[in-house]
Each structure stands twice: as structure tokens, then as C-alpha cells.
Amino acid sequence: MTSRFLCTATQQKSTGQNLEEDQGQSQNEQKTEPTPAEKTLIEDKVKLEEQLKDMTDKYKRALADTENLRQRSQKLVEEAKLYGIQGFCKDLLEVADVLGKATESVPKEELRDENPHLKSLYEGLVMTEVQIQKVFKKHGLLKLNPVGAKFDPYEHEALFHAPVEGKEPGTIALVSKVGYKLHGRTLRPALVGVVKGS
């Protein structure tokens, strides 16, 4: 009886394994062969995932482009505020030059109490020149008078090169016309004579 019981248990056990194997095989068959409707759904899902990925990428790029445009626009506005008066300043530089030439051309020995008209005219010119330089400075326009400085092609324009005793080559020996910078940007280079090595 015991041997018979063992045979039955073994048979049931093997039948159970066979049943599980049959179920596993039928599931594998189902997995490998989806219905046409499932195939369509899977394809649609893949397409939608690709579209989502594409749209997310485009969205991120659009955000980055918008941020770049905002930053560029902000920079242009700031530069327009700083350099918008550039044309006006250039025109005023000629006025400052004329005032400077006028004060330089007055002979200093003639500025005496015996000649009060010339003296008061000269003092008026000097005060006007000082005032215009104050206005220039207030608006970020600085005078460049680089005598003795090293030649810088961004700030100076060389009119000539000449050997000068006791001066280092490459330095500025003479300033023919002063230059100006507007907020650190050269508005007009100084016209200079540069020391040449002998």
C-alpha cells in the first residue's frame, strides 16, 4: 500500500509539473503572438513616446532660445543707455577742442591788469573748458592725454615715429590731439607721436 501511495503521489506530482509547464508554454505562446489590436496599441504607444520626447526636446530648446534672446535684448538696452549719446558726444568733442585751442592761443604775457578785456575773456574760456570737462566726466566721457604712456593701438593713433633722446621706444612723446573714452570704450583715439628705437 505504501508503494502504491508513493506511485500515486509521484504521478500527481509529475502531472502538476506538466500542468505548470503547459500553462507556461501557453503564456509564452500568448506573449509571442499578440493580437492585431495589441500590435496597433504597442506601435501607437511607441510613436507617442517618440513624439513626447521630441516635443519635450523642442520645448527645452525654445525655453533656452527665449532666455538667450532676453539676455541679448537686455544687453542691447543697457548698451543703448550707455552709448546712445555717442554721436552727440563726438560732436561736442570738436567744441572742446576749439575751446582748448582758444585758451592755448592767448599769450600768457598779455594777461595783465592793463588788458582787462583779454584777461576776462581768457578766464571765461578757461571756466567754460573746465565746465565742459565736468559735464563730460559726469556722463562717462574721459579725456585721454597719454604723454609718456606706452603706445596702445586701441586708444592711440600714431601720426609719426621719431627717435627721442632719453625716452623709451614705444612710448608717446607728443600728443597732437587728445582722445576720449566713453564708458571705457574709445570714442576718439588720441593722435600721437611715438618714440622710435634708434
Side-chain angles (χ1 to χ4, degrees):
M1 181 147 173
T2 312
S3 64
R4 191 171 185 198
F5 179 71
L6 283 173
C7 285
T8 309
T10 309
Q11 202 174 34
Q12 285 176 349
K13 188 177 178 184
S14 67
T15 308
Q17 283 177 346
N18 288 344
L19 242 173
E20 287 173 9
E21 288 173 8
D22 289 345
Q23 285 176 351
Q25 284 177 355
S26 65
Q27 283 177 357
N28 285 342
E29 286 172 9
Q30 286 177 356
K31 283 182 185 175
T32 55
E33 293 180 25
T35 64
E38 287 174 335
K39 282 183 183 177
T40 307
L41 286 174
I42 290 169
E43 289 172 4
D44 287 348
K45 179 187 171 198
V46 169
K47 284 179 188 174
L48 287 173
E49 285 173 347
E50 286 175 5
Q51 287 177 353
L52 175 66
K53 187 178 178 183
D54 187 45
M55 293 303 267
T56 304
D57 186 51
K58 285 180 180 177
Y59 173 72
K60 287 178 181 177
R61 287 176 188 266
L63 279 179
D65 287 344
T66 305
E67 180 61 20
N68 289 341
L69 179 64
R70 186 190 67 76
Q71 287 175 353
R72 276 196 306 265
S73 300
Q74 186 176 358
K75 185 178 178 188
L76 287 173
V77 167
E78 288 170 5
E79 284 184 357
K81 285 178 186 176
L82 285 177
Y83 303 111
I85 60 170
Q86 188 168 332
F88 182 65
C89 286
K90 268 190 172 180
D91 293 341
L92 279 180
L93 295 183
E94 298 304 319
V95 175
D97 290 341
V98 169
L99 277 172
K101 293 284 184 205
T103 55
E104 288 171 12
S105 67
V106 175
K108 304 295 184 251
E109 62 274 359
E110 295 292 323
L111 297 173
R112 291 177 280 172
D113 290 333
E114 295 91 40
N115 202 347
H117 296 296
L118 181 63
K119 187 176 180 181
S120 43
L121 177 65
Y122 175 78
E123 287 170 356
L125 285 172
V126 169
M127 286 192 300
T128 306
E129 190 178 13
V130 167
Q131 189 59 36
I132 201 166
Q133 290 300 325
K134 281 182 184 175
V135 171
F136 284 174
K137 194 170 186 176
K138 177 182 172 187
H139 292 283
L141 188 62
L142 299 175
K143 194 177 195 176
L144 297 174
N145 193 354
V147 174
K150 274 282 199 193
F151 177 77
D152 180 357
Y154 295 106
E155 293 182 359
H156 314 129
E157 185 177 323
L159 296 177
F160 62 89
H161 287 69
V164 178
E165 294 262 341
K167 298 261 184 172
E168 185 183 334
T171 58
I172 295 167
L174 174 82
V175 176
S176 171
K177 196 174 193 179
V178 294
Y180 284 89
K181 279 180 129 178
L182 179 62
H183 296 290
R185 181 189 286 180
T186 302
L187 185 62
R188 182 179 81 186
L191 303 179
V192 298
V194 182
V195 178
K196 181 172 80 171
S198 41

